[in-house]
């Protein structure tokens, strides 16, 4: 294909969710586009790999979004092939399985009452004496869950995933991936469901949608739709050079599987390739400082060892997080629980053993046979299935799967974005394109924004990384035959300031605070009473028995231990509830006054109503 820079066309680098979304959105606007994909399969990390009748999802892709336009987009593509699936996931820790999201009795029985008290006291200490700054993940999580729960359920798994200490991981990773979740929210979800302020907490959703034959089915269907419209998706076409002059990209040079080079021209360019590879391909090259910033952005690589089992239902979970340092696997997927049609033979099942590593690690270059044998051993060690149940396996390696949020990555991105402002027809979208640990739906929204910008709008693609900042504005808008659900920024500047005030003067959840006070207090008394009874003596616990002056029917006895558990639990809950209500009354009144003052100032500054 020869260069044709004057031709009105968008060249899209990468056929993952972001690249294909951009292409389909442009097709609905009758803007010509071509997609160039270095691999021989579409979908990127959201592909589905088929092996001997079994299908393997690379990482497990839930189709769930708070952005209604994305949900509607998925439904339009797959219709009835988009199944609604129940979520079931657990955590493997210290030889036991714990339900996730949290179920109090399950956690209590697994950890024991002493550990539960330690967790409660640790959480209270974190609220009373939080880290004054939240620069890294360790500080961020400890402030919200307490030190003890961080050590049990966050530290080991997170360091296994990223291959680095939590203190070296930026707080942005946690704030983006689990920003709506803390210990009080988890407890509230356990007792009353997973809504907070009318919103579903993404980390705790109980069901999701999933394509009948895995996530790759979505992107293969999009390719079919693009082909029917005459929009090309060319596989095995690696971009090696990106030519630009006078502040605009003019063409890209691509090589095919036979190392044949060709040039593809266009007027607009969308890139989903890793930023370092993009900047290394620029011709002429960017300034040395910019190129250095791009190439210092790090990635974590990923490998799935797929096992085919002769048993139909090894365990019910969709996936299990492995928090044990005794095995190398970080997470185990049960794909038949995602969709029954992920296996062709109903008497079989297929599992994905996921390992997080770097390409230079010894494990990356280990032979497939040895990797399958290792995963088989770990499967049996975890008690998920017997070694003799494994009949076959396949290894799938995925480089640059996860952008790393190490300390300093934000400064590097700032340098990169300042340089990109000089090239207005180059649009970076998607997970690797923006070096953002986006979910699939966020990557799609960046692509939707880019397509609309190419069609003449002015949206901030880089702002698409926080779900709360977006809402759906449904408009039956005839744009050359395309009707679209429009995604727009939710808040103007005044709205952002008001939201910041509300965040700064956040109110307590009375139910959650009541539970947080009740659990450690009640179980603390129970454990102390039990320890005194086990220690024995005559009399048993004379000082503690003085509590019978304050608690009805309490005695230092086994019966009294349960009486104290109930009474202190009820009293602690009531105390936490009243305390939250009292604090909210004072803080809420002050917050309301400040918000009203800010709204009056905004009205004086702008006589016209500023609608988002």
């Amino acid at each position: 294909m020869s260069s044709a820079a004057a031709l009105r066309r968008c060249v899209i680098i990468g056929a993952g969710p972001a690249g294909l979304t951009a292409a389909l959105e442009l097709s609905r606007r009758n803007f010509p586009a071509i997609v160039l994909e270095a691999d021989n399969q579409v979908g990127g990390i959201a592909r589905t790999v088929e092996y001997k009748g079994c299908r393997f999802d690379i990482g497990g892709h839930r189709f769930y979004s708070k952005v209604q336009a994305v949900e509607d987009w998925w439904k339009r593509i797959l219709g009835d092939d988009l199944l609604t699936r129940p979520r079931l996931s657990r955590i493997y820790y210290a030889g036991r399985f714990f339900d996730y999201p949290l179920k109090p009795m399950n956690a209590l029985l697994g950890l024991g009452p002493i550990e539960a008290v330690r967790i409660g006291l640790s959480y209270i200490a974190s609220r009373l004496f939080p880290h004054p700054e939240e620069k890294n993940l360790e500080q961020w999580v400890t402030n919200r869950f307490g030190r003890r729960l961080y050590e049990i359920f966050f530290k080991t798994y997170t360091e296994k995933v990223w291959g680095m200490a939590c203190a070296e991981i930026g707080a942005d990773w946690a704030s983006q991936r689990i920003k709506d979740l803390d210990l009080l929210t988890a407890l509230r979800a356990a007792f009353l469901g997973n809504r907070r302020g009318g919103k579903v907490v993404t980390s705790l959703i109980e069901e999701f949608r999933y394509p009948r034959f895995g996530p790759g089915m979505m992107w293969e269907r999009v390719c079919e739709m693009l082909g029917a419209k005459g929009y090309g998706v060319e596989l095995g076409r690696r971009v090696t050079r990106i030519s630009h002059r006078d502040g605009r990209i003019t063409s890209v040079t691509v090589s095919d599987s036979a190392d044949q080079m060709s040039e593809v021209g266009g007027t607009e360019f969308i890139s989903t390739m890793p930023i370092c590879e993009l900047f290394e391909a620029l011709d002429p090259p960017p300034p040395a400082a910019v190129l250095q910033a791009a190439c210092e952005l790090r990635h974590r690589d990923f490998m799935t060892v797929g096992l085919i089992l002769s048993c139909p239902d090894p365990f019910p979970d969709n996936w299990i997080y492995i928090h044990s340092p005794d095995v190398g696997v970080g997470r185990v997927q049960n794909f038949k629980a995602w969709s029954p049609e992920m296996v062709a033979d109903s008497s079989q099942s297929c599992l994905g053993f996921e390992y997080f590593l770097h390409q230079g690690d010894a494990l990356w270059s280990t032979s497939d046979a040895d990797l399958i044998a290792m995963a088989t051993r770990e499967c049996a060690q975890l008690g998920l299935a017997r070694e003799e149940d494994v009949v076959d396996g396949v290894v799938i390696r995925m480089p640059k799967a996860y952008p790393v949020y190490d300390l300093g990555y934000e400064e590097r991105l700032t340098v990169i974005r300042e340089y990109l402002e000089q090239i207005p027809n180059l649009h970076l979208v998607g997970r690797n394109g923006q070096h953002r640990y986006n979910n699939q739906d966020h990557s799609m929204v960046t692509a939707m924004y880019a397509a609309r910008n190419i069609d003449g709008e002015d949206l901030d693609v880089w702002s698409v990384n926080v779900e709360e900042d977006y809402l759906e504005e449904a408009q039956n808008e005839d744009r050359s035959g395309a009707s679209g659900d429009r995604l727009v920024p939710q808040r103007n500047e005044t709205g952002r300031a008001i939201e910041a005030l509300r965040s700064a003067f956040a109110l307590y959840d009375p139910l959650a605070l009541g539970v947080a006070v009740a659990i450690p207090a009640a179980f603390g008394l129970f454990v102390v009473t039990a320890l005194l009874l086990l220690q024995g003596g005559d009399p048993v616990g004379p000082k503690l028995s003085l509590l019978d002056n304050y608690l009805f029917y309490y005695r230092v006895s086994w019966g009294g231990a349960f009486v104290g558990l109930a009474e202190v639990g009820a009293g602690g809950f009531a105390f936490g509830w009243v305390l939250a209500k009292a604090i909210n009354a004072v803080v809420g009144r002050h917050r309301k006054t400040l918000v009203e003052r800010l709204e009056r100032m905004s009205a004086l500054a702008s006589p016209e109503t500023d609608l988002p």
Side-chain angles (χ1 to χ4, degrees):
M1 186 179 296
S2 62
S3 174
L7 180 66
R8 180 176 180 263
R9 176 171 62 185
C10 180
V11 178
I12 301 172
I13 305 171
L20 292 176
T21 298
L24 192 59
E25 290 299 301
L26 288 171
S27 75
R28 290 171 175 166
R29 290 165 169 75
N30 289 329
F31 197 105
I34 182 174
V35 182
L36 305 172
E37 170 56 51
D39 211 332
N40 292 314
Q41 184 175 359
V42 301
I45 196 174
R47 72 185 62 189
T48 302
V49 175
E50 186 173 356
Y51 177 75
K52 294 188 177 181
C54 291
R55 293 178 171 85
F56 298 90
D57 181 346
I58 314 304
H61 287 80
R62 290 179 292 172
F63 282 67
Y64 172 83
S65 178
K66 291 182 180 180
V67 182
Q68 188 61 43
V70 174
E71 290 271 358
D72 294 342
W73 200 94
W74 287 332
K75 293 176 189 176
R76 285 197 300 268
I77 302 300
L78 288 185
D80 292 339
D81 285 326
L82 197 60
L83 309 177
T84 298
R85 304 297 298 160
R87 166 186 173 153
L88 176 61
S89 59
R90 288 181 294 171
I91 293 170
Y92 179 86
Y93 168 76
R96 294 177 178 269
F97 290 95
F98 295 84
D99 293 331
Y100 185 80
L102 173 71
K103 290 185 174 64
M105 289 309 299
N106 172 265
L108 176 61
L109 293 174
L111 293 172
I114 295 178
E115 192 63 71
V117 170
R118 290 184 65 187
I119 290 171
L121 294 175
S122 174
Y123 174 73
I124 292 173
S126 73
R127 304 305 292 174
L128 293 174
F129 308 103
H131 289 286
E133 58 181 6
E134 294 181 349
K135 291 185 177 181
N136 60 55
L137 185 142
E138 179 178 313
Q139 295 167 338
W140 193 96
V141 173
T142 301
N143 277 357
R144 286 159 180 78
F145 292 88
R147 181 78 188 181
R148 185 57 185 163
L149 203 59
Y150 156 75
E151 292 172 345
I152 292 175
F153 287 135
F154 288 91
K155 186 177 188 295
T156 300
Y157 179 76
T158 303
E159 293 182 354
K160 183 183 290 189
V161 170
W162 295 106
M164 57 198 299
C166 290
E168 299 174 15
I169 302 173
D172 283 6
W173 180 85
S175 63
Q176 181 176 330
R177 300 295 291 187
I178 54 175
K179 64 184 178 63
D180 284 331
L181 185 61
D182 57 23
L183 182 58
L184 293 186
T185 304
L187 289 170
R188 179 181 176 86
F191 286 102
L192 288 184
N194 63 344
R195 289 184 176 272
R196 184 175 70 182
K199 299 185 302 178
V200 175
V201 180
T202 309
S203 301
L204 301 178
I205 63 170
E206 296 175 354
E207 65 180 21
F208 54 89
R209 292 181 177 85
Y210 193 73
R212 188 179 303 277
F213 296 113
M217 183 183 186
M218 175 73 70
W219 307 112
E220 290 159 9
R221 184 73 57 83
V222 171
C223 282
E224 294 172 3
M225 297 171 66
L226 289 170
K229 295 184 175 186
Y231 285 67
V233 179
E234 300 186 3
L235 303 180
R237 304 269 283 169
R238 181 176 298 277
V239 172
T240 59
R241 184 169 68 237
I242 302 173
S243 302
H244 64 103
R245 65 171 180 269
D246 300 327
R248 295 186 69 81
I249 306 295
T250 56
S251 65
V252 299
T253 302
V254 298
S255 65
D256 59 21
S257 57
D259 290 331
Q260 297 294 315
M261 311 294 289
S262 58
E263 193 175 10
V264 181
T267 52
E268 300 288 341
F269 295 80
I270 293 177
S271 173
T272 70
M273 66 195 299
I275 291 177
C276 178
E277 295 179 12
L278 170 72
F279 275 60
E280 286 181 330
L282 286 174
D283 184 20
V290 177
L291 184 59
Q292 180 180 353
C295 290
E296 285 179 353
L297 294 175
R298 301 163 59 191
H299 294 80
R300 187 70 162 159
D301 305 307
F302 179 81
M303 180 170 64
T304 291
V305 180
L307 300 181
I308 301 176
L309 278 61
S310 58
C311 53
D313 298 299
F315 52 89
D317 308 73
N318 306 105
W319 68 92
I320 299 174
Y321 300 104
I322 309 300
H323 288 225
S324 171
D326 299 330
V327 292
V329 64
R331 188 171 55 188
V332 179
Q333 304 284 351
N334 179 14
F335 295 118
K336 195 174 182 180
W338 288 76
S339 168
E341 296 185 58
M342 294 292 276
V343 294
D345 185 346
S346 60
S347 68
Q348 294 183 329
S349 57
C350 57
L351 307 180
F353 276 64
E354 299 176 348
Y355 297 87
F356 308 94
L357 66 172
H358 292 113
Q359 290 190 57
D361 295 345
L363 200 61
W364 183 268
S365 55
T366 299
S367 70
D368 288 4
D370 288 343
L371 290 169
I372 293 169
M374 178 186 68
T376 300
R377 289 192 302 272
E378 294 189 351
C379 181
Q381 184 177 343
L382 294 169
L384 302 178
R386 301 173 304 172
E387 289 191 42
E388 53 265 33
D389 292 332
V390 178
V391 297
D392 206 346
V394 62
V395 178
I396 306 145
R397 296 171 176 84
M398 185 62 62
K400 293 183 171 61
Y402 302 117
V404 173
Y405 283 18
D406 55 358
L407 301 179
Y409 91 98
E410 285 183 296
E411 289 77 6
R412 300 180 197 114
L413 279 179
T414 298
V415 172
I416 290 163
R417 290 178 59 182
E418 288 175 352
Y419 176 77
L420 289 172
E421 291 176 357
Q422 306 171 33
I423 313 176
N425 71 332
L426 177 60
H427 312 269
L428 273 57
V429 301
R431 176 179 282 196
N432 279 340
Q434 294 187 323
H435 200 80
R436 289 269 174 83
Y437 192 7
N438 285 337
N439 287 325
Q440 182 177 216
D441 60 327
H442 286 140
S443 294
M444 292 175 63
V445 173
T446 64
M448 293 174 179
Y449 273 38
R452 289 168 57 184
N453 285 345
I454 288 172
D455 200 31
E457 298 189 44
D458 184 19
L459 299 171
D460 183 5
V461 176
W462 288 89
S463 67
V464 184
N465 71 326
V466 180
E467 291 166 326
E468 287 182 339
D469 288 345
Y470 297 89
L471 53 80
E472 178 205 20
E473 180 186 16
Q475 294 187 358
N476 294 323
E477 174 185 74
D478 186 1
R479 190 187 295 271
S480 302
S483 66
D485 296 325
R486 301 190 59 199
L487 295 168
V488 298
Q490 182 177 1
R491 298 187 291 272
N492 53 27
E493 292 302 322
T494 301
R496 290 191 183 94
I498 290 174
E499 189 63 28
L501 271 177
R502 287 173 175 158
S503 177
F505 292 89
L507 302 181
Y508 281 92
D509 184 324
L511 173 67
L513 187 57
V515 171
V517 173
I519 288 178
F523 282 104
L525 177 58
F526 181 89
V527 169
V528 171
T529 303
L531 290 175
L532 288 172
L533 289 169
L534 293 173
Q535 180 180 345
D538 187 19
V540 178
K543 293 183 179 179
L544 192 63
S545 64
L546 295 176
L547 284 175
D548 64 6
N549 294 314
Y550 307 97
L551 300 175
F552 295 107
Y553 306 112
Y554 173 77
R555 300 291 185 274
V556 184
S557 64
W558 288 111
F562 286 99
V563 168
L565 179 73
E567 289 192 36
V568 172
F573 181 84
F575 175 77
W577 178 282
V578 172
L579 179 63
K581 288 288 188 180
I583 293 174
N584 290 347
V586 176
V587 173
R589 187 178 299 109
H590 187 48
R591 185 177 73 172
K592 181 180 179 181
T593 301
L594 291 174
V595 168
E596 290 175 348
R597 185 182 303 171
L598 185 60
E599 288 174 338
R600 287 195 299 271
M601 292 172 59
S602 175
L604 291 173
S606 177
E608 298 183 1
T609 302
D610 185 8
L611 297 176

